[in-house]
Amino acid sequence: MNRRLLLFLLLVALGATAWYLAGSRGSTTLDRPLSDFMVADTSQVDRIFIAEHNGKWVDLRRRPDGSWSLNDIYKAKKHEVDLLLRTFLRVEVKAPVPKSAEENVLRVMSASASKVEIYTGGKKPEKVWIVGHGTKDHFGTYMLLEKPGIGRSSSPFIMGMSRFTGVLNTRFHADLDTWRDTEVYAFDDVYEVAAVEMTLTGEPDASYRVEHPAPGVVRLLAPDGRALPTDTLLVKGYLLAFEQLNYEYIERNLDRRQRDSLIATPPSHVLAITARDGGTKRIKFWWKPYEGDLTAPEAVQAEHDKVRMQALVQDTLLVTVQRQMFDVVLQPREFLLP
């Protein structure tokens, strides 16, 4: 083979290699790293879109009143969104990924990373974080930065957060139930509670109604409207419990048949709260079966689970609540009498 032919074949091979490398990097990949992950003014962040590699996603949008919506349907947990905003502000580069490890890190990220789009008012995100896995020592998280209109960084970084030790990737998930606000009742001012109606199924003598017609004025009534002796301090303390009540988690452990069967069963308690604006929320509660030591004699087994109950909120959402929070608002009438 003569020298001209060898040179020609070498040039063809080099050209093919260059074309392949250029294509595999993608047209938006830069030939330099980007490391300015921080969002200096998080008050301008009005949307956060998180997409996982498995196709799940959540869309968080700031509302005019400062709360956040979840997928334009639900209210998002404020403290979870606040945690993201603090992360945007306090994120910092701990170290670049060594060149010797870069290929392996990018390979793992390509199969498992989440994409986090951060919007600050425009239709395009200001920054896009590609959030990968944690480092082996659990002190850092691999991330790539992409800036629309500029491109994606060519190199990942090990990222951390000031005044925090641990990984950051667990914050950027698309679990809808975890993002969904768990509020059952919330009143900034207890005067917003106009009336409470507590019905214990099959126990009319234990059921009651509390009316709150004016600030500082409360009345305790029987279900038939008959006035009952009222300990004003006890009843006011009862109303204070409605300032903030949350469920623990959405019940996903029951199959459809078990769920339908439970909802068809008469509830143990029905709690109706009427707000000052006239709106009423009605919640049904069911005892959970005792799940302790079933081998113990029945005489020492509790009648119900001592820690949790199940409840139907927002008309159709079956949830689990902690009795530590709800026992005070589900108590029978005798505990409110003088």
Side-chain angles (χ1 to χ4, degrees):
M1 190 178 295
N2 60 44
R3 294 180 60 186
R4 285 189 175 181
L5 180 57
L6 281 173
L7 182 59
F8 173 76
L9 292 175
L10 179 61
L11 289 174
V12 169
L14 290 173
T17 302
W19 174 84
Y20 171 77
L21 291 175
S24 63
R25 285 167 54 193
S27 58
T28 60
T29 300
L30 301 172
D31 57 359
R32 58 187 171 86
L34 294 175
S35 60
D36 55 332
F37 287 81
M38 187 182 76
V39 178
D41 186 359
T42 56
S43 68
Q44 299 301 311
V45 176
D46 61 356
R47 184 184 178 196
I48 304 166
F49 184 87
I50 302 173
E52 290 183 350
H53 195 269
N54 57 17
K56 293 182 178 178
W57 56 271
V58 292
D59 192 2
L60 304 161
R61 294 174 184 254
R62 193 192 295 265
R63 292 166 167 166
D65 64 358
S67 66
W68 288 74
S69 69
L70 173 62
N71 291 2
D72 284 332
I73 302 174
Y74 309 113
K75 182 180 179 182
K77 286 180 184 171
K78 183 177 185 305
H79 68 273
E80 295 280 351
V81 178
D82 288 345
L83 181 62
L84 294 192
L85 296 177
R86 286 200 300 276
T87 307
F88 295 155
L89 177 64
R90 290 164 46 192
V91 70
E92 58 186 17
V93 174
K94 293 175 69 71
V97 176
K99 286 297 180 184
S100 59
E102 199 170 87
E103 181 179 350
N104 185 54
V105 168
L106 290 173
R107 181 176 55 79
V108 176
M109 289 181 70
S110 68
S112 60
S114 295
K115 185 177 183 181
V116 182
E117 297 178 354
I118 307 167
Y119 293 78
T120 55
K123 292 184 178 180
K124 291 184 178 180
E126 178 182 325
K127 295 182 180 181
V128 179
W129 290 11
I130 311 299
V131 181
H133 50 296
T135 56
K136 287 184 178 179
D137 60 7
H138 303 294
F139 290 153
T141 303
Y142 295 109
M143 293 190 193
L144 267 176
L145 178 62
E146 178 180 326
K147 300 175 79 171
I150 297 177
R152 178 176 295 188
S153 174
S154 60
S155 301
F157 286 87
I158 299 173
M159 304 299 295
M161 179 177 165
S162 62
R163 305 193 295 279
F164 173 77
T165 300
V167 296
L168 302 175
N169 55 329
T170 53
R171 304 175 181 189
F172 299 97
H173 60 83
D175 184 339
L176 199 64
D177 285 356
T178 304
W179 279 109
R180 189 168 173 176
D181 187 78
T182 59
E183 175 187 302
V184 177
Y185 295 114
F187 294 95
D188 294 332
D189 184 344
V190 72
Y191 179 61
E192 296 176 28
V193 180
V196 177
E197 189 171 335
M198 179 73 256
T199 303
L200 286 81
T201 302
E203 300 182 65
D205 292 341
S207 302
Y208 54 92
R209 176 180 173 84
V210 172
E211 293 185 345
H212 190 199
V217 178
V218 292
R219 291 194 291 258
L220 183 64
L221 308 171
D224 59 6
R226 176 170 41 90
L228 298 170
T230 302
D231 184 321
T232 302
L233 287 179
L234 273 179
V235 177
K236 285 182 178 177
Y238 175 79
L239 292 179
L240 284 174
F242 290 94
E243 285 186 333
Q244 186 70 54
L245 286 170
N246 294 73
Y247 65 77
E248 184 179 5
Y249 57 84
I250 298 174
E251 184 57 78
R252 304 290 188 194
N253 297 319
L254 302 181
D255 59 30
R256 186 181 183 87
R257 182 187 61 79
Q258 292 171 318
R259 181 183 184 281
D260 292 347
S261 175
L262 174 66
I263 293 175
T265 304
S268 60
H269 304 71
V270 179
L271 183 61
I273 306 291
T274 301
R276 189 64 56 191
D277 62 8
T280 298
K281 284 186 179 180
R282 192 177 303 274
I283 313 295
K284 296 179 180 178
F285 295 85
W286 291 268
W287 299 115
K288 276 179 68 84
Y290 172 70
E291 296 179 346
D293 182 7
L294 298 178
T295 63
E298 289 189 8
V300 300
Q301 293 184 20
E303 187 177 2
H304 311 293
D305 189 300
K306 294 182 177 180
V307 180
R308 294 179 173 87
M309 298 180 72
Q310 288 163 318
L312 193 67
V313 302
Q314 301 170 21
D315 296 329
T316 59
L317 186 65
L318 186 63
V319 301
T320 294
V321 301
Q322 290 203 7
R323 292 185 57 183
Q324 183 180 12
M325 294 180 65
F326 280 83
D327 274 358
V328 66
V329 298
L330 300 179
Q331 57 190 315
R333 181 198 305 175
E334 63 182 281
F335 290 94
L336 294 178
L337 296 173

